[in-house]
């Protein structure tokens, strides 16, 4: 996740599914993309506008990134987003509008107290947005861990065949080797809980994307290049990007970060979604980064002789 921004969405057990209206006798046209709607977004407000799930989701994410609250693009009513782990669906409900609360609070006050109230509300809305993001992240976590386990099962680590016959202890898999294998398996990418895919990018590439999002210059602007290279001169410093599974801050010089290709365009992770290499290997292959070598299932038999798979 980008630490600089925030987000929200509704989903459940199966990350492939997103809440939609199942009764669709007629094909409707989405008010945003004008395509025939295959998944109609079920709105929590009284708007009679038809949105496809993708556009509705994207509109909530844009709103969240612009004003720290997801709102209906038509009536602007605040929308609460939850991920229903049981069904794998996004669930939308009404949130109490903060503007109405503000009007009541400021009624009859002088200019100075109103200014102080505004300042306090601004801080509050930022922390509420962070809470929203944390809540959704906690709701999606089990589904994301399951997707990583499935990725590991579909792209297994090589089995040490020789040791089976000889009865000698099987080779252990190092964290680095497992990470390298996961990177090679990237043709079959791990799935993100938002139904998109996680792609492995370098710290430089991730920093570039972050700059594109937050800097007021295009990538070919000299100032953009200057700022980017100043970051890269400090490879061990932390990017304002954290792993969404362990919360670890990632460094500019990190060789591999698994980031969702959808970036911040879904309310499910409106501040992007990142998984560090350690978490990917841990959850996909049950290999811990701390250990110099970790034994695979075959190597559970007692033995002193551990062959470390080279990088
Ligand atoms: Zn649409
Ligand atoms: Zn509405
Ligand atoms: Zn995603
Ligand atoms: Zn992590």
């Amino acid at each position: 996740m980008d630490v600089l921004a925030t987000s929200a969405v509704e989903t459940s057990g199966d990350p492939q599914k997103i809440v939609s209206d199942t009764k669709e006798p007629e094909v409707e046209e989405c008010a945003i993309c004008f395509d025939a709607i295959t998944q109609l977004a079920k709105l929590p407000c009284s708007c009679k506008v038809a949105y496809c799930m993708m556009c509705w989701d994207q509109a909530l994410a844009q709103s969240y990134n612009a004003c720290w609250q997801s709102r209906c693009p038509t009536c602007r009513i605040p929308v609460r987003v939850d991920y229903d782990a049981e069904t794998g669906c996004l669930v939308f409900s009404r949130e109490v509008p903060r503007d109405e609360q503000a009007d009541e609070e400021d009624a009859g006050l002088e200019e100075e107290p109103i200014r102080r109230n505004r300042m306090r509300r601004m801080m509050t809305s930022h922390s509420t947005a962070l809470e929203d993001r944390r809540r959704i992240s906690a709701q999606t976590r089990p589904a994301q861990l399951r997707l990583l386990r499935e990725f590991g099962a579909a792209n297994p680590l090589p089995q040490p065949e020789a040791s089976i016959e000889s009865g000698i202890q099987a080779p252990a898999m190092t964290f680095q080797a497992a990470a390298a294998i996961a990177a090679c398996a990237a043709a079959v990418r791990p799935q993100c809980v938002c139904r998109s895919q996680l792609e492995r990018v370098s710290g430089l590439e991730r920093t570039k994307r972050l700059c594109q999002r937050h800097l007021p210059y295009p990538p070919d602007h000299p100032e953009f290049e200057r700022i980017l290279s100043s970051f890269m001169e400090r490879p061990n410093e932390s990017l304002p990007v954290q792993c969404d599974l362990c919360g670890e801050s990632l460094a500019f010089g990190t060789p591999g970060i698994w980031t969702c290709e959808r970036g911040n365009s879904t309310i499910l992770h409106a501040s992007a979604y990142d998984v560090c290499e350690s978490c990917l290997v841990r959850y996909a292959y049950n290999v811990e980064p701390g250990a110099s070598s970790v034994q695979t299932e075959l190597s559970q038999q007692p033995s002193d002789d551990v062959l470390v798979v080279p990088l």
Side-chain angles (χ1 to χ4, degrees):
M1 80 173 60
D2 291 359
V3 180
L4 301 176
T6 43
S7 89
V9 181
E10 251 185 55
T11 57
S12 74
D14 178 358
Q16 293 305 316
K17 286 163 64 189
I18 293 187
V19 156
S20 64
D21 206 333
T22 46
K23 35 181 178 150
E24 7 73 50
E26 321 159 355
V27 178
E28 282 185 280
E29 200 177 73
C30 170
I32 295 177
C33 68
F34 305 117
D35 284 345
I37 297 175
T38 51
Q39 264 195 313
L40 182 66
K42 195 173 179 181
L43 310 187
C45 52
S46 44
C47 289
K48 298 296 175 216
V49 187
Y51 296 109
C52 73
M53 197 56 210
M54 184 67 90
C55 289
W56 169 254
D57 179 7
Q58 211 164 328
L60 293 183
Q62 277 169 0
S63 161
Y64 183 86
N65 284 317
C67 69
W68 291 333
Q69 195 167 41
S70 34
R71 291 167 176 266
C72 166
T74 306
C75 68
R76 308 295 301 152
I77 203 168
V79 176
R80 178 187 161 106
V81 182
D82 287 284
Y83 180 81
D84 179 356
E86 287 283 306
T87 61
C89 292
L90 288 169
V91 181
F92 307 109
S93 53
R94 281 178 185 235
E95 195 87 88
V96 182
R98 292 180 200 150
D99 327 355
E100 286 174 19
Q101 294 171 333
D103 288 346
E104 279 176 31
E105 205 174 56
D106 293 344
L109 291 182
E110 300 290 318
E111 199 177 314
E112 182 53 26
I114 290 181
R115 198 187 60 77
R116 280 203 304 270
N117 279 351
R118 271 195 203 134
M119 185 65 86
R120 184 180 42 75
R121 281 195 296 266
M122 204 174 72
M123 312 270 288
T124 309
S125 66
H126 187 209
S127 62
T128 308
L130 287 174
E131 278 166 30
D132 288 344
R133 191 170 76 187
R134 289 194 193 106
R135 186 188 70 247
I136 295 165
S137 175
Q139 290 169 343
T140 58
R141 185 183 167 86
Q144 186 61 62
L145 297 189
R146 179 165 54 79
L147 289 168
L148 293 182
R149 282 195 298 274
E150 287 170 5
F151 169 78
N155 301 279
L157 300 176
Q159 293 295 306
E161 290 169 30
S163 63
I164 302 171
E165 292 161 14
S166 61
I168 298 169
Q169 182 181 14
M173 181 62 66
T174 62
F175 167 75
Q176 288 84 354
I181 289 162
C184 292
V188 190
R189 291 176 183 174
Q191 209 181 358
C192 177
V193 71
C194 76
R195 307 165 65 189
S196 214
Q197 291 181 327
L198 298 176
E199 58 176 326
R200 186 178 186 271
V201 298
S202 64
L204 171 63
E205 175 59 26
R206 187 67 185 85
T207 307
K208 215 182 263 180
R209 293 183 189 186
L210 196 71
C211 289
Q212 279 174 332
R213 188 174 157 197
H214 294 286
L215 293 181
Y217 315 105
D220 56 353
H221 192 283
E223 193 57 13
F224 185 100
E225 285 166 14
R226 190 193 64 75
I227 294 170
L228 185 63
S229 47
S230 75
F231 283 142
M232 300 319 293
E233 281 163 12
R234 298 167 285 154
N236 296 324
E237 266 182 42
S238 292
L239 265 161
V241 170
Q242 292 174 342
C243 169
D244 283 82
L245 295 179
C246 68
E248 194 78 22
S249 290
L250 303 171
F252 291 111
T254 304
I257 299 171
W258 294 82
T259 191
C260 177
E261 58 189 8
R262 251 185 114 180
N264 61 350
S265 66
T266 166
I267 192 64
L268 197 51
H269 50 68
S271 56
Y273 196 86
D274 298 280
V275 176
C276 73
E277 196 114 82
S278 302
C279 280
L280 186 109
V281 171
R282 174 181 299 127
Y283 295 114
Y285 296 118
N286 202 22
V287 173
E288 285 297 330
S292 57
S293 66
V294 177
Q295 297 188 347
T296 59
E297 257 183 66
L298 283 171
S299 67
Q300 298 299 318
Q301 300 140 35
S303 160
D304 307 312
D305 199 342
V306 175
L307 171 67
V308 173
V309 178
L311 269 176

